[in-house]
Amino acid sequence: MPLSFQAPSESDYITFLWSAFEINYNKQKYQFAYFAYHMLAMGFIYFKIWQIRRERLDDFRKGVIGFSKDNENCFLHAASPFEFSKVPEGSVFRLLKLLGCDNSKVGTYGALVNDRNEMAHANGHIHVRTEEIFGYKIRNILKIAEDIQSQVEPIIEVCYQNFLLRSLDPNEREYSDLTDQIREALIHSNYLSQKDIKICFKFDIQRLKNHKKFREISTLHREILSIGFPE
């Protein structure tokens, strides 16, 4: 989950879902605990799509072609990742093709929605009765999340690279204080998670060695690493 959110209501929402997950799990209401976890997982998907849009907007514009006009406008103009929830969940996964995911993977990811939908109706069935079944479904979500996180690594690298280039001049960046700049212009605006931050930490600065301001970029990168990434 992101270390920072654009609005307190977003943070409150995630906290609420974690609480619902824990309460229902502890009371052995596994199906409701699974619902809460599934909603957290969809939030994760929306955050990744948000990152794709910010760093690869031209490709993103092409990627939303084929969606309805309303859904296309939602993807392109949403002010928050949570607004992507207006688009039918199953179709959202198509945008992960922009990460290089093939149709097979997209189908596997989308099956999460179908699985949840089978349980989300008053059909007289409790699909997740035992901790064993619950654990299997949670592990499946985590496996998918890890796979998507590995696919998004190049996006985060570009995100951090662009941040370095935008932040070189203290007089031109959004915040003169570097700690504030990291927190607000990098972590906050990109909904970066702890795993995303680890990608930034291991960024290979040598990829910018031909930049005319490579020395300044290297100095800034070292300074950021010495400060750390504030939450």
Side-chain angles (χ1 to χ4, degrees), residues 148-213:
I148 293 173
Q149 181 65 33
S150 67
Q151 298 279 348
V152 85
E153 184 166 339
I155 299 292
I156 303 303
E157 290 175 340
V158 172
C159 170
Y160 182 63
Q161 176 176 305
N162 290 338
F163 170 77
L164 287 173
L165 297 177
R166 291 196 310 269
S167 303
L168 278 178
D169 189 343
N171 296 318
E172 294 184 1
R173 63 194 186 203
E174 294 93 326
Y175 300 89
S176 58
D177 181 80
L178 184 54
T179 299
D180 291 339
Q181 178 74 359
I182 297 168
R183 180 189 298 109
E184 301 299 327
L186 178 63
I187 298 175
H188 181 83
S189 61
N190 292 287
Y191 287 85
L192 295 191
S193 67
Q194 191 62 52
K195 288 192 175 183
D196 295 331
I197 293 299
K198 289 181 179 179
I199 296 172
C200 298
F201 258 118
K202 65 179 185 179
F203 179 78
D204 182 9
I205 198 68
Q206 291 300 315
R207 66 195 298 173
L208 295 172
K209 64 182 180 181
N210 293 324
H211 194 282
K212 62 182 180 180
K213 293 188 176 181

Side-chain angles (χ1 to χ4, degrees), residues 61 64-78 86-88 94:
R61 288 195 177 104
V64 299
I65 295 174
F67 285 89
S68 71
K69 198 63 178 179
D70 287 343
N71 290 340
E72 181 179 330
N73 286 333
C74 176
F75 280 128
L76 293 176
H77 303 296
K86 298 175 183 177
V87 178
R94 286 163 46 190

